[in-house]
Amino acid sequence: MHLMFSHVNFASRDPYCSHLLMSHPPIRSKLVDTMGEGQFRGIYSLVSLSTFIPITVAYFRCRGKGEMGKLIHNLGSYKAIQYTATGLRGLALATFSQSISAPSPNAMAAEFDDNKIRGIVRITRHALFTSLAFWGLANVIARGYAVDLLFWAPYARLDLVLGWNTLF
């Protein structure tokens, strides 16, 4: 099981690579010109799912088993950390709901007037990244097992970076 999760953890960088590479404007425009918008979106979704599903399955299979079940930190035992994690999860749910109700101006094929942008997208242009970062950070501080840190830390780290990059 340990080898399986190590392999999948290495591959867990791939969803970010696929999102970063495939959505990078010069690469995206060449792909869209070659295959069309609809086909590009379909392939983009398939690549995303084909990397996300195995990582998630491996995470749930490895929880509490072997070296992946080893406790790295015990911060979650403190009430202040539990309250902080709960607050971060609340922020995650709030920004997630806002990401659904107010789509990102940076979304594919989106046409927005900057004067009409309201709500969370005035702070971050990609509220979904922000919500995933909050959720990942909450799980990193509240859960101290190796498998949890390997699974959730990339969300906290990379989604903050990706969310910050969409501000500009």
Side-chain angles (χ1 to χ4, degrees):
M1 198 61 71
H2 173 70
L3 280 175
M4 181 179 127
F5 195 85
S6 295
H7 174 71
V8 173
N9 183 49
F10 176 75
S12 73
R13 292 349 177 220
D14 191 54
Y16 294 104
C17 291
S18 67
H19 280 74
L20 288 172
L21 290 175
M22 290 182 74
S23 62
H24 187 61
I27 295 171
R28 183 185 182 284
S29 63
K30 286 180 185 176
L31 290 171
V32 169
D33 289 345
T34 303
M35 64 181 75
E37 184 72 33
Q39 202 169 18
F40 171 78
R41 287 184 182 194
I43 290 172
Y44 188 86
S45 298
L46 286 174
V47 168
S48 298
L49 286 173
S50 70
T51 55
F52 178 73
I53 290 172
I55 294 163
T56 304
V57 168
Y59 169 71
F60 283 106
R61 284 185 181 169
C62 292
R63 289 182 68 185
K65 296 180 182 163
E67 289 184 36
M68 291 292 105
K70 183 179 178 184
L71 188 65
I72 305 296
H73 72 72
N74 197 22
L75 294 174
S77 64
Y78 298 104
K79 288 286 183 197
I81 296 296
Q82 292 173 5
Y83 294 141
T84 302
T86 301
L88 286 169
R89 288 183 181 118
L91 282 172
L93 291 172
T95 54
F96 177 75
S97 67
Q98 292 174 358
S99 74
I100 293 170
S101 64
S104 171
N106 296 336
M108 290 188 243
E111 292 183 22
F112 287 89
D113 178 7
D114 277 341
N115 295 327
K116 293 181 181 178
I117 296 174
R118 291 177 176 73
I120 191 71
V121 292
R122 292 191 65 85
I123 299 167
T124 176
R125 295 300 174 113
H126 207 310
L128 180 61
F129 285 155
T130 306
S131 69
L132 291 172
F134 285 144
W135 195 265
L137 185 59
N139 284 308
V140 165
I141 65 170
R143 301 170 181 238
Y145 294 96
V147 68
D148 293 311
L149 298 177
L150 288 171
F151 185 77
W152 292 109
Y155 284 102
R157 186 187 72 229
L158 291 172
D159 290 330
L160 281 174
V161 170
L162 293 172
W164 179 260
N165 285 336
T166 59
L167 281 171
F168 307 103

